[in-house]
Amino acid sequence: MSGTSLDGVDGVLVQFDDGAGAAGRVLADASVVMPAPLRDALLALQQPGNDELHRAAQAGAALADLYATVVQRLLTAATLTPAEVAAIGAHGQTVRHMPPGHPRLRPDEAPYTLQLLAPARLAEATSITVVADFRSRDIAAGGQGAPLVPAFHRAAFGRAGEALAVVNIGGIANLTAMRADGGVRGLDTGPGNVLLDGWCERHTGARYDADGAWSRTGRVLPALLAELLADPYFHRTGARSTGRDHFHLGWLDAALARHGPARPADVQATLVALTAETIARAVLGADWGGEAPRRVLVCGGGAHNGALLDALRARLPSITVETTASAGWPPQWVEAAAFAWLAREALCGRFGNVPDVTGARGPRLLGAIYPVG
């Protein structure tokens, strides 16, 4: 998995039981940092530019090679051969996400989502079947194509009779709301780390604000926070998803131009408040069927930002906020494991989306399969 934050590639090797829906057991994990040239190439492809097709093809191939490095590290750590692995679930790198309702889509234009990768190259490099392109079938069925992790969250964390929220804070944050009656809802809440990381790198040179330390030196600017929260995305109802093509530093710069000058550390503190506020609103506003959750489990890179977790706890004082490590899943494992799980579901011919989450017309089998050999 390489997410919106573009900080690296995370991989897990998961062993599944035969039972449908089982979350699996992690045998090994590995991560590699995203090389700066590839990261810059992928960032450039977030916006229109010259020779996009060639640049996209080259970036997809380079990403496949990086995925192959992670796969080899996993095999070495677990002392397994490629023949012992059923498949690689490879998400690819989202460079455009324009689902139904996206403000940049004209009424006569088709919605789409694009995750760059070269799955055939990955299959050749690893001698393992690859399952990729998980989102496009849900889009074709009228859905948002995201979030896709709620089905896995239900398998990994769901308990009969318990309402539970799981929040993945990657570049974009998403919520899975598991009701006590077994129903599942979910949505992208808005920016997670994407603005925090970008603003931090612009002003400090660091790719991210470790533990939120820099943000703690600033103060929240209420007028700027209100300006950011006025974005129409936060007021949409029903299924919704978003990405870096909507929430990026240009979006923030436009809000700052309207607000006026501000200390960089104060902006960082305000961005922490924005992420916490939009997550909290989604948790409190979800359809819980009458029984609110007592716990929120947090995964993704944002789970390591102490300032962000503190802000979320302050906004949800009656709910316990803790990381997924408390449920036996280190935060950095969860999203990669979700796409391993979705690959397993595809190989078994089982549906992977949750229509109540994405808004698709019905359940769909997700992923294109590239068999080895």
Side-chain angles (χ1 to χ4, degrees):
M1 178 70 196
S2 53
T4 311
S5 295
L6 284 168
D7 50 358
V9 175
D10 295 321
V12 290
L13 184 64
V14 189
Q15 183 175 24
F16 293 103
D17 298 326
D18 291 336
R25 179 169 62 93
V26 173
L27 304 181
D29 68 289
S31 297
V32 295
V33 174
M34 183 78 71
L38 177 56
R39 181 172 181 263
D40 291 346
L42 291 168
L43 280 171
L45 286 163
Q46 301 285 334
Q47 300 297 327
N50 293 328
D51 207 13
E52 283 183 303
L53 292 178
H54 176 75
R55 291 188 293 117
Q58 295 304 310
L63 187 62
D65 293 345
L66 198 61
Y67 278 24
T69 297
V70 174
V71 170
Q72 185 55 56
R73 292 186 183 184
L74 292 170
L75 294 174
T76 300
T79 62
L80 291 177
T81 66
E84 295 175 279
V85 179
I88 300 167
H91 176 266
Q93 185 63 50
T94 301
V95 290
R96 300 289 171 85
H97 183 65
M98 296 199 174
H102 193 285
R104 285 169 54 187
L105 277 178
R106 298 195 309 265
D108 62 329
E109 292 182 320
Y112 68 94
T113 188
L114 179 60
Q115 286 70 47
L116 284 187
L117 189 61
R121 183 182 179 92
L122 181 57
E124 287 293 327
T126 60
S127 298
I128 299 173
T129 292
V130 171
V131 185
D133 191 22
F134 290 94
R135 300 187 185 277
S136 60
R137 182 62 191 274
D138 188 86
I139 291 270
Q144 294 284 305
L148 295 184
V149 291
F152 173 74
H153 288 165
R154 176 172 53 192
F157 305 111
R159 296 180 184 176
E162 178 186 2
L164 176 68
V166 178
V167 177
N168 174 60
I169 309 179
I172 299 298
N174 55 70
L175 165 70
T176 299
M178 289 175 275
R179 298 173 13 161
D181 63 7
V184 179
R185 302 291 187 274
L187 73 159
D188 284 351
T189 64
N193 302 315
V194 62
L195 299 175
L196 290 167
D197 291 350
W199 188 255
C200 180
E201 185 169 17
R202 176 189 285 183
H203 290 278
T204 72
R207 283 193 175 185
Y208 62 94
D209 183 11
D211 198 36
W214 183 45
S215 70
R216 292 186 190 275
T217 69
R219 63 182 183 88
V220 176
L221 303 174
L224 176 60
L225 180 59
E227 179 73 35
L228 299 175
L229 288 170
D231 188 276
Y233 181 81
F234 301 125
H235 303 278
R236 286 176 54 185
T237 58
R240 70 178 197 246
S241 65
T242 189
R244 189 187 284 270
D245 50 342
H246 184 89
F247 293 108
H248 49 78
L249 287 183
W251 177 85
L252 175 59
D253 289 339
L256 284 168
R258 295 189 295 269
H259 173 270
R263 290 178 60 242
D266 292 343
V267 175
Q268 188 76 355
T270 305
L271 293 175
V272 168
L274 173 69
T275 295
E277 177 66 22
T278 50
I279 290 171
R281 288 185 181 185
V283 170
L284 296 173
D287 176 10
W288 292 102
E291 181 178 335
R294 299 177 183 176
R295 290 193 302 155
V296 172
L297 298 179
V298 181
C299 58
H304 303 293
N305 185 328
L308 178 53
L309 292 187
D310 286 348
L312 192 55
R313 291 180 180 117
R315 188 63 179 77
L316 299 172
S318 62
I319 300 176
T320 299
V321 177
E322 54 195 355
T323 76
T324 53
S326 65
W329 286 85
Q332 66 270 23
W333 286 2
V334 176
E335 195 165 21
F339 284 93
W341 185 89
L342 284 168
R344 194 279 300 262
E345 296 302 283
L347 292 179
C348 293
R350 292 194 287 261
F351 302 133
N353 65 334
V354 181
D356 284 342
V357 170
T358 67
R361 287 186 286 273
R364 296 292 188 270
L365 195 152
L366 306 181
I369 300 173
Y370 293 76
V372 68

